[in-house]
Amino acid sequence: MTALLLLPLLLPFALPALARRALGRLAPVAALWAVTVCAVVLAGCSLAALGSFMLIGLLKVPLFAAVGELIHPLRTASDLVVLPAAATSVGALAVCGWTLVRSVLRQTRAFRAARAEAGRRPAAGDLCVVDSPRPDAYALPGRPHRIVVTTAMLRSLDGSEREALFAHERAHNDGRHHYFLAAAELAAHCHPALRPVRDTIRLAAERVADEAAAASVGDRRLTARAIARAALAGQGAHTERPGFAPAATAGPVPQRVQALLAAPLVPRAGRAIAALLIACTAVSCAASVAGLADFHHRVEIAQGDQAP
């Protein structure tokens, strides 16, 4: 049981490298879906493993054993292994919960402030122009979706570049990319190895929007130029927006520009990377389910409901 529950805690360390390779080998939209789903599943499995270790440790304490109606000792690995693992799990879950609550509160405040700012401005369709000396543009989710752009950003681009920028941000809203970014943020607080994956998911979302904008305006070079000029204009500017609101200036812009100027991606060995992601997710799920089932069986034995 202990070995099975350790697997969901170790497998997330393999995801950052796999995620980077997936973005280079798969189409951006496929990479976005595959990496996000894998990150969320691995995060959930790791939380299940930590919770199981915590419960095992608690049931070793006579008070909690009585509450659990255990009439026999719970058969587990040595207490020298189980009790430290349980204590570590309690600490890890506490840290995860605390950082997640802080992030949710911070993101909620930023989102409300951004929606309030957009609500005070007249909108032309889905476009909301904010009078600000800081160049910025981002896709703001909500009802209705908005494309928020500052006057400083509009002055930094010419007419065709603005259209490419607006197409990029509309692609974010149409693709509901804020859900992917929120899921990546959630997973990052569940396991430290998933924090680098958050940046990969953000880059994948930007790459999807880049390709959609290039298809919309019919010019990959124009889209690359618009993104580069927007990023240069906004460099060093302090922006007030929620982290799950995608923006054209986010991520490693030189890498995105290079991808746009290159030929459209022809997936190479994409099946192998997809298979590795599926295998990683499946093994983590199987180990979690098997470990939890074994733990439940041992608890039933300790309660006298089943024979050893």
Side-chain angles (χ1 to χ4, degrees), residues 140-252:
L140 182 63
R143 294 185 179 180
H145 293 320
R146 287 281 184 257
I147 297 172
V148 179
V149 61
T150 64
T151 52
M153 179 61 80
L154 292 177
R155 289 193 295 267
S156 302
L157 306 176
D158 62 29
S160 57
E161 290 167 348
R162 292 174 189 170
E163 289 303 317
L165 180 68
F166 298 157
H168 176 99
E169 302 302 351
R170 285 193 180 96
H172 280 312
N173 281 333
D174 292 342
R176 303 294 193 269
H177 292 166
H178 53 282
Y179 289 125
F180 294 92
L181 300 184
E185 182 72 17
L186 173 64
H189 289 284
C190 294
H191 197 291
L194 299 178
R195 291 173 187 169
V197 180
R198 174 175 50 189
D199 296 331
T200 303
I201 292 174
R202 180 173 292 276
L203 175 56
E206 295 304 326
R207 288 281 294 112
V208 172
D210 290 344
E211 295 294 332
S216 177
V217 301
D219 191 335
R220 298 178 68 85
R221 189 171 295 275
L222 168 62
T223 305
R225 186 172 74 246
I227 291 170
R229 291 191 63 181
L232 287 174
Q235 190 174 16
H238 178 68
T239 58
E240 294 290 342
R241 62 170 181 258
F244 56 83
T249 57

Side-chain angles (χ1 to χ4, degrees), residues 1 3-15 18 37-50 52 191 194 275-293:
M1 175 175 61
L4 285 174
L5 292 176
L6 283 175
L7 270 178
L9 299 177
L10 297 176
L11 284 173
F13 289 99
L15 187 57
L18 287 176
V37 170
C38 188
V40 170
V41 172
L42 290 181
C45 291
S46 67
L47 288 181
L50 289 174
S52 297
H191 197 291
L194 299 178
L276 285 174
L277 288 173
I278 293 173
C280 188
T281 305
V283 170
S284 183
C285 286
S288 297
V289 171
L292 290 172

Side-chain angles (χ1 to χ4, degrees), residues 131-144:
D131 186 13
S132 172
R134 297 192 301 266
D136 195 19
Y138 58 93
L140 182 63
R143 294 185 179 180

Side-chain angles (χ1 to χ4, degrees), residues 122-135:
D126 61 348
L127 182 63
C128 178
V129 179
V130 176
D131 186 13
S132 172
R134 297 192 301 266

